[in-house]
Structures are given as C-alpha cells and as structure tokens.
Amino acid sequence: MITIYSSPIRAARVCWIAVACWALGLGSSVRSAAAAAPPPFDAGRMAATDKAVTDTVARGDIPGAVLLVGRGDRTGGQVLYRKAYGNRAVQPAAEPMMADTLFDLASLSKPVGCATSVMKLIEQGKIKPDEKVATYFPEFGTNGKENVTVAHLLLHQGGLIPDNSIKDYDNGPAEAWKKICALKAQSAPGTKFAYSDVGFIVLGKLVEKVSGKPLNAFAAEEVFGPAGMATAGYLPPADRAANAAPTEKRDGHWMRGEVHDPRAFALGGFAGHAGLFATADDLSRFCRMILDGGTIDGKQVLKAATVAMMTQPRGLLGNCTIDSVPADVAPAGGSARGSRNLRTFGFDCDSGYSAPRGERFERGTTFGHTGFTGTSLWLDPVNDCYVILLTNAVHPDGKGKATPLRRLVGTIAADALLGPKATSQPATSPATGPTTTTTAASATSAVTPVLTGLDVLAADGFKPLLGKRVALVTNQSGLTSDGKRILDLLAANKDVKLVKIFSPEHGLYGVLDEKVSDTTDPTTGLKVFSLYGAVRKPTPEMMAGVDVLVFDMQDVGARYYTYTATMGGCMESCAAAKVKMVVLDRPNPVTGTIVDGPIADEKSLNFTAYGRTPISHGMTIGELARYYNAERKIGCDLDVVAMKGWRRDMWFDETNLTWVNPSPNLRNPTATLLYLGVGQIEFSNVSVGRGTDQPFELLGAPWIDGRRLAAALNAERLPGLRFTPTKFTPASSKFEKKECNGVYIAVTDRQAVEPVKLGVALAWHLKNLFGDQYEIAKVNTLVKNEQTMAAIKTAKEPAEVSATWDAGLKAFRAAREQYLMYK
C-alpha cells in the first residue's frame, strides 16, 4: 500500500507533514508555522543571476532564457523576479526573448501534465497507485512487467528501458503501443531507479484509458483550466505557436510550437513524457497551486491530501539493490549514490537530475524537474517559494547546455529567497562552477580539509613505524596535503629505517607508459624495485629484512586500474612473509557512491581484475584492501590508516587536496570519471585520446563517422553527458599520427553521469553503426564478464545490458557494506 510515512520528523520536514495534516483537517496551525515570516527577498543578489545567464548566453550555451522567482500564496503569492534574457531564436533570424515566450517543456511535461492528471484520477478513485498496470492494460503484463504498478511508473521504478528504439514508432501509435507492451523488463519493479520516458508514455495512455479522454484534453479540463494556466497545453494552436521559442529543424522546417521529442511527435504531437507547452507565468501558477495544497485563487485543482501523496519523497518500493536513503524521509532503499534517487509521484527530489536544487535548497524536502530542451523548475514547500528557469538550449543545433546554469541560478535565487548563510561567497560564472553559497556539508569541508591517511600518520609522528624496518610502495601521488613526499619523510626520520622502495605501473614518478625496470631513487640512494616489470608482487627475497610494508598511492575507483592489483599482490607477499602491511587511505576521486557494472568472471581474474568486483566499486583504496583481505582470504596482518574529514559523496575537488595525476593520462577529475566508461573499451580498435591533450574525453578511429556516432549517443540521452563530432590526431599510442574521427565527450552534470553505462553505450553503438569494422570481442579484455558481453552484442538497446549484472551487483553491495569506513 502507498502510505504517508509517519517516521521521526526533522524540522526541515515540517512543510510536507503540514500538507498531510491539513488533509486530515489538522493543518491551519501547522501550515502557519511552516510558512512563518520568510526573510525579505534580497533583489540585489539577483544581479548575480543576471550575470550568470548573460555569460551563458555569450558563450553560446543557450540562446536566451526566462527566469521567474516567486513565493507561494501562504507567504504572499508574489512573483518576486521575472526577467527575459538574450534571444528566443538565433536562426533563421534573431528574435529577442520575451517574458511571455511559450516553451516546449520537454520532460517538465511529466510532473506538470501527466503526473498531475494521474493524481487527479487517483483522487477521483479511478486509478489506484498500488494497482498493477496490467489490470488496466492486460497486454502490458508480459516479459517481466506483470507486477509493475502505477506507483512504480510514477517513481521510475518500473524496470522499463529509458527509451525504446525510435524505429518502434515508425508505423503509428497503435503499432508503437504494441512494441511498448512487448518490451522486456530490465529489472524487477521497485528494486531500481531508472529514469524512463517509456514509463510515462504508459501513464499518459493510462489517463486516456481511464478517463475516456486523451491526455491533452483531460489535462486542459482538469488541471490547466482550473489552475488558470491560460496558455499551457499540448498541441498549441497557431497563434500560440507563433509565440513559441523554436528548437531544432525537422524535415527542413524549424520546430516552433511542434514538440521536439521524436517519440512524442510520432505519437501525434504529445505523450505522457513530453509535448506540453507553457510560459513561465503558467508554471508560476502551477507552483503556487502545488505549494498551497492544490488550491489557487480560491479554486481547488487537487485536494490537499492528493498533493501530500504526490509530493511525498519516496525511495525504492520493493527489495532494494542500492544503498538506503534516510529513514526519516523514505523506506529503506535509495540509490547508487547514497541518499540519491529520491523521487515523488512525478517530481525529482534528490537524484542525478537535481541540478536546479542548487547548493541551498534542502535535499529530501524540496522537489522539481528538468526538461531536455533546457527547462526546469524547483519548489521549496518548507519556505513556500519556487524558481523557474526556461531556456531553449537545443536551439539551433542541439548542442547547447543548461545544467551548470540551472545549478547556479538555483543557488543564487535560494540565497535571495532564504537569506544568506554565514559561509556565503560571491557567485561565479557557471563556466567555473557554482560557488555562490557553501552548503552545510561543504562548509564543514572548507573549515576542516580532508586529511589523507598519510597526513594522519605524519601528524601522529609515524608511531606505528618507529623502530621498524620499512618497505614503501608508492609513486608521485604519495604526498602530504602540503606537498611533501612520503619517501622523503620516512628517509629523514631517524627513528624509522626505510630499507626498500617498490614502484607500481608508470614508475616511481608516474611518467612511464610501458614496462618499468628497477631504478635507484636519487634522493635516498635506495634501489626501487619495479612491480610492473619482471615481477608483479614482492618476492620472498625482496621481503627479507622487512618488518612493515607501507602502501600509499592514489587510486581512481576502477577495477581495471592496476594499482589495486599491486596492492593485492603486496598483501599476499606480506601474508606469506608474516609482515605487517599498512595502507594509507586516500579519497576515491569520483566519490564513494558510484557502484555499478558487471562482476568480473572468476576465470578472468588477473592484473586488471584482482578481485570479483564491479567495474566501479565505489570504495577507497583502504576499504578495498579490507575487502580483498577478507573476501579473498589473504590473511594479511593489515592496518588501514583512515582519512579524516572525507565523506562518500565528496568529489576530489571538494577535498581541498591538490590534484596529482595518478597516471600519465588521467590529468583531471573529469577524465577520471569518464575513464570508468571509456576505459572499458580501450583494448578494442579505437583511440581513447591517449597521445592527445584530452585522454578519455576523446574517442575515435580513422574508420569512425563522428557525426553518426555523436547523433546516436546524444539520442541515448545518457544522463549528464553530451557528444560532439570531432577530429584528432594522436601524437603517440594507438593510431599514432593518424587522423581519427570521433566524439568529444562533455560532462554537463557529473552528479548524473553513469560512467559504466557510458562504456556499454559506446561499445553497443560502435558495433551497431560500424559492424565488423569494430573489434568488439576485445572489449571483454577489461569488461571481463561473458554474459554482459553477449548482451552488448545481442541487445536491442544499450539500456538492456545492465540487467545482466543486477544480481551480481546486489550481492557485491551486500558484501561490501561491512568494509566501508566512511559515511
């Protein structure tokens, strides 16, 4: 049953509980308390939003925008800021943006049109959220979809593919519906969050089935009309369409008042997932209605209890395969990123799509949504306010981006609405990232920077090593936060006897991209034994005369990164020699929350897969050492010196630590994130940008058609990523001095990126676009899972492939939990 949870209430949760109480007739005093005395709106702060938007326009990321900031009716119901920027069209001729411009809302159609219509039918008793969809559509209940409920679809937990092939829509809506009903579930319902347009297409169809009216007519009569959203609607008439911001060209004409989404277009111009058009003022009325419990200007659109049900934050409804969300806002369940992937019935609450929340609106109580065309809104029921940002970022060529601007505008507008925090800092352009306000979490980081295991050990005077004969495994990344080499610190300590040095792949200084020979460290005169040459782990002879082996180097979070295999080999050598091993922990640079990908097959374990872990394990190197020691039954006398101040959700740039390239081709945190995906396929016949200035941000080969590949990948709508056709010539490595055609991979929202699925999508599209020209068999060199490889070769869509690793990943998550050292 779908319920309103009555778990312990934090003060920040008061507004949601207020709506629920109001539905029971208890709400007037609670509502008043929840919305009491908002701070004055600081209009002066909005100058920073003006600069952010105009800078974004000037860079060509968007042609223009409309921004509207307002309060709900409980605190005045005023539009506090409304402004148009730039142009609504730049081709075929420039047209200035106007505040009343009509926008293709894209996926904002989901909450505003479709989900609200479904909630109205729930209110009328015609739909039950816990009812199986197959009850309404028996033909839908096949291929693992038999138990999918309406609630599952509203929460994107139905196990459905994000988008089925556009070819499924070639023969009209009736045939397209048959194709949707024949789709196979990718996961059991309620066990996984996977954003799905298909799920909302089904919900739009459900509105029509139950109400007897198509979605466009039902929403107009039951939602837009009563809410006074005068120009909102699907299939806008010619006079309204003339006032719309154009998007891209279709069949030689500009889409203006014509839905941009190709599937919605094929279904007649609208569907449950896309097709709604509206102005900022229309959406302002919608936000006011939601914030005031379903009523606006005295007219009731939805009952307060319906709004309470619609806006309740929820985690997974079934047995979860991902980490739990906070118990006070949802049942056990959650996401691959800690508390992320919290949704309501139609709105996003806390996920990789939450950029409009910015840095100030609270996780878990505020909600909103985004649209592919560049639209977004975000509501804060605790403080009774909202922010609407509408852009047509896809105009004129589909290459624009609005995500960084959404985050920055959300932060600045929240500062203006909520009042500044003591830790607020001046806003910057989205080109350099949002720094307008420091959140509670990042404020803590700013006051207390992360201390690595080395920093902690050094601060303690290296006590565990005093009087010991020490062997050191390290490279150029083994530095204190103020830049001192661990090698030099140990050599200079008169109470520590440094007797051996070992180096991993790329050598002691991290500059070699080949087999590494033994060398001598010029500072200490000690021999440096290579563990990436004739031997891969210390031999018994090398371990002679050693009391403690210290391991300190930066890992990157990928199973196939060889430093973890070097660590595992050292643990085996220590266990055999009965020598203590001390691992100095360091951050996982791409957070400790991305846990995804196939588990390596037992028979494939080697130096690029030391353990049966997924491609992205989401652990620090110290946590991984604990995991290896127990799960592989190594029996090493192991100590891990923990970091101080690190949290699982921290990206490397949030640690205040200096970036040192962990290997020659991982030159920044963005490339490191992409390495988890692009790196999967580098043993195939493509260049991943080695020998260029942007390794792992480029991918290509002389035989690739970059424009075809970019178009196919952009059509996938991989979260947080965009692809641009490009050409490059590697100066070294694969295809040395040969021009490669391919793509540049831009990260538009790192929180949303699913890097392992990027690798799958690359392999799948290269195979399907270029056939035998692509040596797909070599992909398994690093994927190391035959079932996943078979799926990449045979799946109809890339999104189907992840089903092959769900069970193994669930088991890994359960095993991993006991070895984690940080929240």
Side-chain angles (χ1 to χ4, degrees):
M1 231 184 132
I2 301 300
T3 59
I4 294 175
Y5 294 94
S6 55
S7 49
I9 304 169
R10 289 173 23 200
R13 276 31 176 189
V14 132
C15 188
W16 178 82
I17 297 298
V19 178
C21 291
W22 182 31
L24 299 174
L26 306 174
S28 57
S29 61
V30 182
R31 288 179 65 215
S32 299
F41 181 69
D42 187 352
R45 285 185 171 266
M46 298 304 289
T49 63
D50 295 344
K51 184 177 188 306
V53 179
T54 54
D55 284 353
T56 305
V57 171
R59 282 196 308 276
D61 290 343
I62 60 173
V66 174
L67 172 64
L68 189 151
V69 180
R71 294 199 189 278
D73 288 8
R74 291 177 290 117
T75 52
Q78 294 178 313
V79 172
L80 302 170
Y81 198 83
R82 181 200 289 110
K83 189 166 184 178
Y85 307 82
N87 294 311
R88 67 182 178 193
V90 294
Q91 290 184 21
E95 300 175 29
M97 183 67 76
M98 307 297 289
D100 66 349
T101 295
L102 192 72
F103 285 84
D104 180 341
L105 298 185
S107 283
L108 276 190
S109 306
K110 291 180 173 75
V112 178
C114 186
T116 305
S117 296
V118 171
M119 296 309 299
K120 186 67 179 179
L121 289 165
I122 290 173
E123 178 180 291
Q124 293 173 354
K126 297 177 181 179
I127 293 177
K128 295 180 180 179
D130 289 314
E131 191 65 75
K132 295 175 182 177
V133 176
T135 301
Y136 306 100
F137 298 111
E139 67 272 27
F140 180 82
T142 62
N143 295 327
K145 306 191 300 300
E146 294 84 353
N147 294 318
V148 175
T149 66
V150 174
H152 288 140
L153 296 186
L154 286 166
L155 295 168
H156 297 277
Q157 295 178 21
L160 299 180
I161 196 170
D163 283 303
N164 57 322
S165 173
I166 190 62
K167 294 179 181 178
D168 289 352
Y169 298 79
D170 285 349
N171 298 315
E175 288 300 313
W177 175 245
K178 291 179 182 178
K179 295 283 190 181
I180 288 172
C181 291
L183 291 172
K184 293 181 180 179
Q186 304 301 299
S187 58
T191 64
K192 184 177 182 180
F193 167 79
Y195 187 88
S196 175
D197 283 350
V198 175
F200 267 77
I201 291 174
V202 175
L203 288 170
K205 186 84 170 174
L206 179 62
V207 171
E208 180 177 1
K209 175 72 176 284
V210 172
S211 71
K213 299 175 182 177
L215 174 62
N216 64 326
F218 183 85
E221 294 175 15
E222 299 289 344
V223 180
F224 310 145
M229 299 165 64
T231 54
Y234 301 90
L235 301 173
D239 58 334
R240 292 184 191 172
N243 193 44
T247 53
E248 294 184 81
K249 277 188 173 182
R250 174 182 284 137
D251 298 330
H253 70 275
W254 290 102
M255 289 178 266
R256 188 168 206 151
E258 177 184 303
V259 64
H260 178 268
D261 183 272
R263 292 165 181 83
F265 178 73
L267 290 171
F270 68 92
H273 71 298
L276 181 60
F277 287 77
T279 65
D281 286 334
D282 291 328
L283 294 178
S284 173
R285 294 189 65 83
F286 176 80
C287 292
R288 286 172 54 200
M289 181 271 291
I290 292 293
L291 290 172
D292 203 34
T295 299
I296 182 168
D297 295 342
K299 294 182 180 179
Q300 187 179 75
V301 181
L302 297 172
K303 293 179 180 178
T306 307
V307 174
M309 178 185 287
M310 182 181 186
T311 59
Q312 176 193 345
R314 303 173 195 269
L316 294 175
L317 298 181
N319 295 324
C320 58
T321 60
I322 47 185
D323 300 340
S324 61
V325 296
D328 59 340
V329 295
S335 82
R337 310 230 179 155
S339 66
R340 302 182 69 78
N341 295 347
L342 200 61
R343 306 286 297 194
T344 81
F345 280 172
F347 291 106
D348 178 42
C349 203
D350 183 22
S351 78
Y353 302 94
S354 302
R357 187 183 62 223
E359 304 294 326
R360 282 292 304 275
F361 288 126
E362 187 181 351
R363 290 187 179 194
T365 59
T366 63
F367 50 85
H369 215 279
T370 63
F372 182 78
T373 51
T375 59
S376 63
L377 55 78
W378 205 262
L379 298 85
D380 181 347
V382 175
N383 296 291
D384 198 37
C385 56
Y386 58 92
V387 178
I388 297 164
L389 178 65
L390 302 181
T391 81
N392 56 331
V394 294
H395 180 73
D397 55 10
K399 296 181 180 179
K401 56 183 179 181
T403 299
L405 180 64
R406 287 169 176 157
R407 184 177 289 110
L408 184 55
V409 166
T411 301
I412 301 169
D415 270 348
L417 287 160
L418 309 181
K421 283 190 175 183
T423 53
S424 292
Q425 304 196 5
T428 66
S429 164
T432 58
T435 59
T436 304
T437 304
T438 306
T439 62
S442 59
T444 302
S445 296
V447 174
T448 309
V450 170
L451 298 178
T452 67
L454 173 57
D455 292 323
V456 173
L457 186 67
D460 195 37
F462 296 98
K463 284 181 183 176
L465 308 182
L466 299 182
K468 307 291 186 183
R469 295 170 298 176
V470 175
L472 175 65
V473 189
T474 192
N475 63 4
Q476 76 288 348
S477 67
L479 303 174
T480 60
S481 57
D482 59 357
K484 295 178 177 138
R485 288 200 310 169
I486 183 174
L487 196 161
D488 297 330
L489 292 173
L490 293 180
N493 191 314
K494 65 182 187 312
D495 296 318
V496 175
K497 188 171 184 180
L498 181 63
V499 296
K500 302 275 176 70
I501 303 172
F502 297 99
S503 68
E505 183 181 2
H506 307 300
L508 184 63
Y509 299 99
V511 296
L512 302 175
D513 232 349
E514 56 196 20
K515 299 292 183 183
V516 180
S517 301
D518 294 346
T519 57
T520 300
D521 175 55
T523 303
T524 63
L526 289 171
K527 183 175 181 178
V528 181
F529 295 94
S530 170
L531 299 180
Y532 196 73
V535 299
R536 295 293 175 96
K537 65 181 182 180
T539 64
E541 294 75 19
M542 293 174 183
M543 294 298 296
V546 174
D547 299 319
V548 181
L549 186 146
V550 177
F551 186 96
D552 184 32
M553 64 182 77
Q554 178 66 56
D555 185 41
V556 302
R559 183 185 66 211
Y560 39 74
Y561 203 63
T562 63
Y563 295 172
T564 59
T566 298
M567 179 179 71
C570 289
M571 292 169 67
E572 293 174 7
S573 297
C574 285
K578 298 189 180 341
V579 168
K580 176 180 280 294
M581 181 162 169
V582 177
V583 174
L584 307 183
D585 212 4
R586 290 185 175 272
N588 186 322
V590 295
T591 80
T593 62
I594 306 177
V595 186
D596 202 9
I599 306 298
D601 292 335
E602 182 72 38
K603 66 181 182 181
S604 71
L605 297 184
N606 61 13
F607 204 63
T608 54
Y610 180 77
R612 297 203 66 213
T613 64
I615 287 172
S616 178
H617 48 69
M619 303 173 82
T620 67
I621 198 162
E623 292 173 333
L624 203 57
R626 285 158 49 91
Y627 176 87
Y628 285 161
N629 202 31
E631 296 295 321
R632 288 181 58 93
K633 298 179 172 55
I634 296 174
C636 174
D637 181 5
L638 174 69
D639 281 344
V640 175
V641 180
M643 296 177 282
K644 289 186 178 179
W646 190 75
R647 303 184 316 276
R648 304 208 74 77
D649 64 350
M650 292 178 78
W651 296 86
F652 191 88
D653 56 272
E654 296 172 319
T655 65
N656 203 35
L657 296 170
T658 300
W659 177 265
V660 176
N661 294 348
S663 54
N665 285 284
L666 291 180
R667 301 174 185 175
N668 56 64
T670 297
T672 304
L673 175 63
L674 293 174
Y675 175 70
L676 293 171
V678 179
Q680 291 174 47
I681 69 170
E682 70 168 309
F683 276 81
S684 64
N685 57 331
V686 295
S687 166
V688 295
R690 293 182 185 269
T692 76
D693 291 334
Q694 295 176 299
F696 302 105
E697 296 176 74
L698 295 171
L699 181 136
W703 49 268
I704 287 176
D705 182 332
R707 295 181 65 191
R708 288 180 68 200
L709 181 59
L713 290 167
N714 284 325
E716 280 293 314
R717 299 187 182 181
L718 296 171
L721 297 169
R722 292 291 288 172
F723 303 85
T724 303
T726 192
K727 297 177 185 291
F728 61 93
T729 303
S732 60
S733 192
K734 196 174 294 183
F735 301 124
E736 180 179 353
K737 298 180 181 177
K738 293 182 181 179
E739 185 177 72
C740 294
N741 302 301
V743 294
Y744 167 72
I745 307 171
V747 175
T748 60
D749 183 359
R750 67 182 179 183
Q751 297 284 14
V753 173
E754 297 176 299
V756 177
K757 294 181 178 66
L758 163 63
V760 169
L762 289 170
W764 189 92
H765 281 290
L766 287 168
K767 170 192 170 292
N768 280 271
L769 289 173
F770 306 111
D772 291 341
Q773 290 184 85
Y774 183 52
E775 298 173 353
I776 192 167
K778 293 183 178 179
V779 172
N780 204 35
T781 305
L782 295 182
V783 169
K784 296 188 180 298
N785 185 290
E786 291 184 355
Q787 187 181 10
T788 294
M789 283 305 306
I792 292 174
K793 294 174 184 177
T794 61
K796 293 182 178 180
E797 299 288 341
E800 296 176 6
V801 176
S802 63
T804 64
W805 67 64
D806 282 346
L809 191 64
K810 180 179 180 180
F812 172 77
R813 286 180 181 281
R816 162 184 179 266
E817 191 69 28
Q818 63 184 302
Y819 307 111
L820 302 183
M821 301 165 59
Y822 311 93
K823 298 285 189 179

